[in-house]
Amino acid sequence: MSRIGKKIIEIPKGVTVTASAVKVSVKGPKGELHLLKRPEITIVIEGSTLQVGSIDQDRQTRAYQGTARSLIDGMIIGVSKGYEKKLEITGVGYLAVLEGKKLSLSLGFNKPVKYEVPSTVTVDVPNPTTLIIKGCDKQQVGLVADAIRKLRKPEPYKGKGIKYSTEVIRRKSGKAFASGGAS
């Protein structure tokens, strides 16, 4: 049995959920999200609760049930509270500047790297070495954060690059020279 799929989802105030035969729509103060619904899944909305069910107890159908329940729960959290990822830039001369919807990153290359921020997320630059990516779609926030991080991944010797604020970079020691050398 799908234990996650059986859990009831509480719908907070200010969030509306509508389910049709084809898709589920969640609307709240932070935005609106849609999810295409599989035909094996049933969705029952009663008052301020939502329950995801399945048409049979097949193994694959129960997997779809748990996945759908997790995705809908994430959508409800996204439109009510939102998601955010924080990135830190480490390195001498490495910095970020937000110019409208374009992010200009100086990352040690001969020219600054330009990144076009999608309309589904917002990027804040509280200081030149910190980026905060916010949005209501968890997947989109993660994709944008990963795309920015890939522009200059942190390297293990000096730790220079773009990393998540919770990420720990395992540092390596450089070359070790023998004392006393050959004459």
Side-chain angles (χ1 to χ4, degrees), residues 99-118:
E99 302 162 347
K101 286 298 271 182
K102 285 193 184 224
L103 189 63
S104 177
L105 299 155
S106 297
L107 300 172
F109 300 118
N110 62 349
K111 290 190 245 177
V113 178
K114 304 283 186 191
Y115 181 78
E116 185 74 34
V117 179

Side-chain angles (χ1 to χ4, degrees), residues 1 6 10 16 22-23 25 32 47 59 62 64 68 71 76 92 95-96 100 103 133 142 148 151 160 165 173 181:
M1 294 304 235
K6 286 182 177 180
E10 293 291 328
T16 58
V22 181
K23 71 177 182 175
S25 298
E32 186 174 358
R59 182 182 177 101
R62 289 182 312 203
Y64 291 143
L71 291 173
I76 290 172
V92 177
L95 55 96
L103 189 63
I133 297 118
I148 292 172
L151 296 174
K160 298 189 321 184
S165 63
S173 59

Side-chain angles (χ1 to χ4, degrees), residues 54-181:
S54 60
I55 58 170
D56 61 17
Q57 292 301 313
D58 182 38
R59 182 182 177 101
Q60 190 63 45
T61 306
R62 289 182 312 203
Y64 291 143
Q65 177 187 3
T67 302
R69 190 248 178 233
S70 293
L71 291 173
I72 293 169
D73 189 39
M75 290 166 54
I76 290 172
I77 292 169
V79 298
S80 60
K81 298 175 187 169
Y83 291 102
E84 79 172 34
K85 293 256 184 191
K86 189 174 178 183
L87 297 174
E88 295 175 352
I89 303 172
T90 308
V92 177
Y94 287 21
L95 55 96
V97 178
L98 189 62
E99 302 162 347
K101 286 298 271 182
K102 285 193 184 224
L103 189 63
S104 177
L105 299 155
S106 297
L107 300 172
F109 300 118
N110 62 349
K111 290 190 245 177
V113 178
K114 304 283 186 191
Y115 181 78
E116 185 74 34
V117 179
S119 61
T120 55
V121 298
T122 59
V123 175
D124 294 333
V125 184
N127 60 44
T129 59
T130 305
L131 298 170
I132 300 173
I133 297 118
K134 297 179 184 177
C136 62
D137 189 358
K138 186 177 188 177
Q139 182 178 0
Q140 196 68 29
V141 169
L143 287 172
V144 170
D146 188 53
I148 292 172
R149 183 181 177 275
K150 280 184 180 176
L151 296 174
R152 185 69 146 195
K153 288 185 179 178
E155 52 97 12
Y157 295 102
K158 293 184 180 177
K160 298 189 321 184
I162 303 172
K163 70 178 189 82
Y164 296 110
S165 63
T166 57
E167 185 177 11
V168 176
I169 305 299
R170 292 188 63 203
R171 303 291 293 270
K172 293 182 179 179
S173 59
K175 288 185 178 179
F177 291 100
S179 58

